[in-house]
Amino acid sequence: MFEDLGANWDRFYAQTIEPMVDLLVAAALVWLTAVVCARLLAPAVTKWKVFGRVMPRWVGRLLRALGMVGLIVGAGWLVVAASIEQYPFDAVVIVGPTVTLVLATIVYGIGQATRARMDVMVIQSDGQPNTALATELAMRMRGMNADDPEGRVEDPSGSDLNEVLAVAGSTEHWAVQLARGAATMLLNLRPWRLELTIFDDRTARARLRRNGLRIADEQLSLPLPPVDDEHPAELLILAAALAATTVSEHYPDIRGLYGARGWHGIGLLNLAAITDGDAHRAYVEAAIEADPCCVLIEYQDVFDRYDITDADDLVPLMDRLEPMIRFAAALSRIDDEALRTIDQKPWHQAPERGRREPRLLMLQLMIRYATAVRNWSMERQLADDWTAQDVQRLTRAAGIFDLMMTMLARPRRAERVVAGASIERMRHRAAMGWTLLHEQLEGLERRAPEPPVAPARPAQPAKRAALAERWVAAAAESPEVEVRYSWACYLARRSSTGTPNGEVKQIADKLRLVCWSGWYQDAALTDPELAPVAGHAKVRKAVLQPLASAWEIQPFTEHKTSLAANAVRSPEQLARWRDADRLAVALGIEEAHAARLIDAAVLFDATVTAAERVGVRRRDLLRAAKCLIQTLGHGPDSFLRAMAATPDLLGLTVGRAMYWRPTGDERAVTARFLEAVRAALTEASVPAPV
């Protein structure tokens, strides 16, 4: 019995399995040959304009799938057809599978050569590759267009097969390395290759290849010294900008760069994001010069130039934002009647090859615009001086607000993925702005028999009004800092001088939760929407946030521990050192830094003396000292120069820091206090200004 089983198995193996194995091996060899031929097509595909420059990535994915199916079917068909001897016309029989293989090879080759995956390599100045820097460079490259995660350069790690090859690359065994190299070459898993060679902390060379052909070769150099000499973050940013913008030119579905032309402007803009002060401004201006038509760069310039709560900046800010919103809408392929009345700027030119950009930038511009409109309209309301031009501007803003509400009501999937929490915050702020604006327009319609211009107010569908009401109600319970602040301003604006105590308490509670932040406190000090409740003690206390001691003022905070170790218990004691060299040695800092620290202490000591003479309370004194020393950066000499040149402006700034919106008596106290500070400094024999 067992002998029969063995004989049957041998016969089955010889008649079935062995021929099948032979056929599979033959088919695998045919398939491998076709794959090699497909790989050899890659350089030709790169040079072919139709596929090498403007093919969407989904087309490449489709071609790869169809090509692989065709290769498998064609290889099997060809081997089977060639093995069947009874066909009378063998040459004719193999024509079908041969044509299938040739077409599949071409299709698969095009699909593989046009994928957006990239290999990244960073070579340090010592000639050694650095994997960590290569990873950082890849992440920075993908972050260049973070507004659209689906429209980015593919992750260099990619599929599981790439991970296997990465693990194989970590071993030195020749056979494993050979297999890895063969797989990488044959399958063409990463057609793009970015090589960054770093020469020193300010220069590098970036080479970008596609299927072995050079696409870009740029010398990178920093116009300013790097932030960190030990880490080439700036050079990585420039290389990432080069790669992201260049790759995006070849795929119309890579979005999020908003029509940037070339890599220089985007690279410099991202350098500005990691710097501050003069360096930040220098990078922004260089980016504008490199790409004056890029709305991303213009947005950063507008953000830097205009204070959202400064009455003098509001009209110029709105005049800049309105055409930017229209341009961003054009990039996102949005056309709305509210935008057609806005004049376009000559530098807002859509790129030749249009692609639908994400709407997030447009929404961010609209939120910024909404805040400016709210503050400007409140300034006009406080002044009670509306012109025909003002009403037209308000009416135009109402149309933009309506469009913003519509967009936020139906966010796209990518917007929910990238900025789900931000969308909620935008909804809350947009609803409050929409409600206030339409209430103000209704008031202008009722206020006089003949208003300056009858506002042609956009219709308010009941559905939109109900949506705004629901979002406003949700804003009242939001834990987000920016929404809390906006809600306090919203409630204050709807109040009058007879605001109920309950509402005052709500406003004060919201402001107390946000004004611990220096940014929101500075905003509240000049925000016109809070003016109706500025006289309430609870609200004033919430905004001004009393300081516990002088140690909360920079630069004293930074050196508190070191000064205490040298028996300096207060800034007043520090004012008596006078010897910057000795202080520098004691604290382990530079002499120039020590001199500035002593100057700050001398000025603080003078404010203490002045407060005692004038009768200023300690909490008001500390706020005044913080304004003079930390906010304005004054020392004794610069304070005396400011008092001689612009005493009224200095008094306005310090009075706002002490009392927020000072009364007439409080302004007089501020003036006497500053005069007493000048007298105290003079008595202390501080040199007069040159």
Side-chain angles (χ1 to χ4, degrees):
M1 177 180 177
F2 291 106
E3 292 178 358
D4 293 339
L5 286 176
N8 290 336
W9 168 253
D10 291 340
R11 188 166 49 255
F12 174 76
Y13 181 83
Q15 295 177 357
T16 304
I17 296 182
E18 189 172 1
M20 185 67 70
V21 170
D22 293 339
L23 288 175
L24 290 176
V25 170
L29 290 175
V30 173
W31 176 86
L32 186 60
T33 302
V35 169
V36 172
C37 293
R39 177 66 178 90
L40 295 176
L41 287 175
V45 173
T46 303
K47 294 180 179 180
W48 196 359
K49 184 176 181 179
V50 175
F51 294 110
R53 292 193 59 83
V54 294
M55 193 175 75
R57 291 170 302 157
W58 68 267
V59 175
R61 289 191 287 268
L62 178 61
L63 292 178
R64 287 194 295 274
L66 293 176
M68 181 58 69
V69 172
L71 288 176
I72 295 173
V73 172
W77 185 9
L78 180 62
V79 170
V80 172
S83 65
I84 300 177
E85 300 177 354
Q86 60 265 34
Y87 281 124
F89 305 103
D90 292 341
V92 176
V93 170
I94 64 173
V95 168
T98 301
V99 172
T100 302
L101 269 176
V102 171
L103 293 178
T105 299
I106 295 173
V107 170
Y108 183 72
I110 294 173
Q112 283 293 83
T114 55
R115 70 190 315 167
R117 191 162 293 151
M118 180 181 294
D119 191 17
V120 180
M121 174 178 288
V122 176
I123 301 175
Q124 300 180 109
S125 55
D126 59 2
Q128 297 298 316
N130 190 310
T131 306
L133 292 181
T135 302
E136 181 181 349
L137 174 54
M139 294 302 101
R140 289 188 181 277
M141 176 185 64
R142 286 171 55 75
M144 287 288 165
N145 57 337
D147 282 357
D148 189 1
E150 296 179 350
R152 294 192 287 189
V153 179
E154 296 178 27
D155 192 336
S157 61
S159 64
D160 294 339
L161 180 55
N162 274 295
E163 298 295 338
V164 172
L165 295 178
V167 173
S170 64
T171 179
E172 298 181 357
H173 194 281
W174 67 269
V176 177
Q177 289 287 352
L178 180 62
R180 176 179 180 270
T184 302
M185 180 191 71
L186 292 176
L187 299 180
N188 197 24
L189 296 174
R190 301 174 186 176
W192 291 89
R193 181 176 178 84
L194 173 62
E195 296 177 0
L196 177 66
T197 303
I198 299 174
F199 302 133
D200 53 45
D201 60 349
R202 296 185 65 171
T203 58
R205 192 167 196 86
R207 294 182 179 88
L208 185 62
R209 292 184 173 88
R210 187 184 190 190
N211 296 309
L213 299 180
R214 185 173 61 187
I215 302 297
D217 190 348
E218 297 286 347
Q219 181 78 18
L220 308 180
S221 60
L222 299 180
L224 299 174
V227 176
D228 184 356
D229 295 337
E230 302 297 324
H231 184 68
E234 291 90 345
L235 294 173
L236 297 180
I237 287 173
L238 292 179
L242 170 65
T245 55
T246 303
V247 172
S248 71
E249 294 173 359
H250 294 75
Y251 303 94
D253 55 343
I254 290 184
R255 303 174 295 270
L257 295 175
Y258 298 100
R261 305 186 179 201
W263 62 273
H264 292 87
I266 289 294
L268 292 167
L269 177 63
N270 280 270
L271 290 182
I274 64 171
T275 55
D276 52 21
D278 293 339
H280 171 85
R281 194 61 213 163
Y283 278 130
V284 172
E285 291 176 355
I288 294 173
E289 183 177 354
D291 191 355
C293 298
C294 180
V295 68
L296 283 172
I297 299 173
E298 186 178 3
Y299 181 36
Q300 183 64 59
D301 179 53
V302 168
F303 188 87
D304 292 344
R305 285 182 181 275
Y306 300 103
D307 185 347
I308 199 71
T309 59
D310 189 329
D312 295 333
D313 284 351
L314 293 175
V315 171
L317 174 59
M318 290 185 292
D319 288 340
R320 289 288 300 273
L321 287 175
E322 285 179 355
M324 290 173 65
I325 291 171
R326 179 171 179 176
F327 182 49
L331 292 174
S332 302
R333 298 183 184 176
I334 295 175
D335 184 23
D336 189 85
E337 185 178 354
L339 304 175
R340 295 173 194 155
T341 58
I342 300 173
D343 294 333
Q344 286 184 307
K345 299 298 182 183
W347 60 86
H348 288 160
Q349 302 173 7
E352 295 178 1
R353 289 189 301 107
R355 66 186 79 193
R356 191 176 74 167
E357 297 288 355
R359 302 187 307 175
L360 283 177
L361 177 62
M362 182 181 176
L363 287 170
Q364 291 167 1
L365 289 168
M366 293 173 107
I367 289 295
R368 189 78 175 169
Y369 175 76
T371 305
V373 169
R374 282 178 58 172
N375 290 336
W376 166 78
S377 61
M378 187 63 188
E379 291 281 1
R380 305 311 304 151
Q381 181 175 312
L382 292 172
D384 196 22
D385 182 20
W386 290 92
T387 65
Q389 186 178 4
D390 292 337
V391 178
Q392 290 173 359
R393 182 186 295 276
L394 201 64
T395 304
R396 185 168 62 248
I400 297 176
F401 276 47
D402 288 345
L403 175 59
M404 178 171 55
M405 290 286 291
T406 301
M407 292 171 60
L408 289 171
R410 295 191 297 270
R412 294 174 180 168
R413 189 174 70 88
E415 293 164 356
R416 293 194 298 269
V417 172
V418 175
S422 296
I423 292 295
E424 286 301 312
R425 293 194 296 270
M426 289 181 183
R427 284 176 170 177
H428 297 156
R429 295 177 61 183
M432 288 184 280
W434 186 89
T435 302
L436 291 172
L437 190 61
H438 282 280
E439 287 179 351
Q440 193 163 42
L441 283 171
E442 290 175 0
L444 287 174
E445 290 175 347
R446 297 191 305 263
R447 56 174 279 172
E450 296 182 1
V453 169
R457 189 157 51 92
Q460 298 183 47
K463 184 177 180 181
R464 185 179 296 146
L467 185 65
E469 183 178 356
R470 186 167 72 250
W471 287 353
V472 168
E477 306 299 327
S478 174
E480 299 290 345
V481 174
E482 66 181 81
V483 179
R484 283 173 171 170
Y485 178 79
S486 188
W487 169 259
C489 295
Y490 168 81
L491 200 58
R493 179 165 177 167
R494 302 185 83 190
S495 305
S496 62
T497 52
T499 307
N501 287 331
E503 289 190 6
V504 170
K505 185 176 183 304
Q506 289 183 54
I507 297 169
D509 289 344
K510 294 290 185 183
L511 292 174
R512 191 176 298 110
L513 292 172
V514 301
C515 284
W516 56 266
S517 165
W519 191 93
Y520 281 103
Q521 185 181 41
D522 292 342
L525 292 175
T526 57
D527 198 315
E529 290 192 313
L530 294 175
V533 295
H536 291 273
K538 292 179 180 178
V539 178
R540 174 181 284 191
K541 183 178 180 181
V543 170
L544 294 177
Q545 295 280 320
L547 303 176
S549 72
W551 292 115
E552 294 186 26
I553 302 173
Q554 288 288 9
F556 307 133
T557 306
E558 181 182 355
H559 301 288
K560 178 180 179 181
T561 303
S562 301
L563 289 169
N566 286 274
V568 177
R569 306 300 179 189
S570 68
E572 297 97 305
Q573 286 182 280
L574 178 61
R576 299 179 180 86
W577 274 62
R578 300 288 181 176
D579 188 347
D581 185 40
R582 187 163 62 93
L583 181 62
V585 173
L587 300 184
I589 59 177
E590 296 181 0
E591 185 176 350
H593 191 176
R596 290 193 296 270
L597 187 59
I598 291 175
D599 282 348
V602 170
L603 181 56
F604 179 77
D605 188 47
T607 62
V608 173
T609 302
E612 293 173 351
R613 293 175 179 177
V614 177
V616 174
R617 292 175 296 186
R618 179 74 177 180
R619 65 185 184 189
D620 299 331
L621 154 68
L622 291 176
R623 286 195 288 264
K626 182 178 180 180
C627 175
L628 290 170
I629 297 170
Q630 179 175 319
T631 305
L632 300 178
H634 279 315
D637 291 348
S638 62
F639 170 80
L640 292 174
R641 285 194 291 269
M643 282 293 291
T646 56
D648 293 339
L649 178 61
L650 185 63
L652 178 65
T653 305
V654 175
R656 186 177 292 160
M658 293 172 70
Y659 304 111
W660 184 13
R661 292 182 177 268
T663 62
D665 292 341
E666 289 168 340
R667 285 194 292 269
V669 170
T670 303
R672 293 199 305 272
F673 169 74
L674 292 176
E675 285 294 338
V677 173
R678 175 159 59 181
L681 289 174
T682 303
E683 293 169 5
S685 301
V686 175
V690 177

